[in-house]
Amino acid sequence: MPGSEWLRSYATLAVWAGHLDLIEDGQVTRLREQALRQPAEAAAVLDEARRLRTDLYACLTDPQDGRAFKSVAGAVEDAARLSVFTRGEDGLGRWQPSPAAGLRLPVCAVARNAGELLADPRRFTVRGCPSPDCGWLFLDESGRRRWCSLATCGAKRSAWDLSDK
């Protein structure tokens, strides 16, 4: 959410990526330990993740933002170079960020997903909540903006008529 910072530490980034199944649990533990040994590198990766998040948000809320798209595309291309094709337990092949990415592993995993999102035509139905206190993104395939239904905005500002926004 713009204006707030939930991504406060490298550990938060690694755990979040693991929670979303972008990286494996064992990798999360190794990355957190490595971040403690290399705090300066972990801080640089965290800054990179925040920039990627900001640029992806800009791409989703303003499809004409060429600068943001170019920035995300660079991260996606870098992640592709640091990916390996593996076979999952289900027998299906999938692209995964290579452990060789080191502390950048969560950023590479997020960047690959960002690339898939930006290649999906449904991305044009992603809307930002118009409340200045919110900033959450949500899919709205009808083309109308709706409340994101989070207590941070919708419950407090239910009198707003979003059809005019």
Side-chain angles (χ1 to χ4, degrees), residues 48-156:
E48 179 183 2
R50 288 175 178 157
R51 284 190 304 275
L52 176 60
R53 176 189 60 189
T54 299
D55 289 335
L56 179 60
Y57 189 92
C59 287
L60 294 172
T61 57
D62 181 5
Q64 301 306 314
D65 190 336
R67 187 220 46 88
F69 186 88
K70 186 175 181 179
S71 177
V72 173
V76 172
E77 290 168 0
D78 189 43
R81 284 189 289 278
L82 292 170
S83 295
V84 294
F85 194 68
T86 62
R87 181 179 175 181
E89 291 178 13
D90 56 5
L92 297 175
R94 60 183 51 92
W95 286 101
Q96 298 276 334
S98 170
L103 288 173
R104 293 190 64 239
L105 190 71
V107 174
C108 290
V110 170
R112 285 197 58 84
N113 276 1
E116 291 171 13
L117 176 62
L118 293 180
D120 187 335
R122 291 179 301 163
R123 83 176 177 108
F124 295 115
T125 66
V126 173
R127 300 285 185 257
C129 180
S131 169
D133 297 331
C134 183
W136 286 96
L137 298 177
F138 57 95
L139 281 175
D140 183 8
E141 294 179 2
S142 72
R144 290 185 53 223
R145 292 186 179 197
R146 303 179 191 279
W147 286 117
C148 66
S149 74
L150 299 171
T152 58
C153 65
K156 292 180 182 176

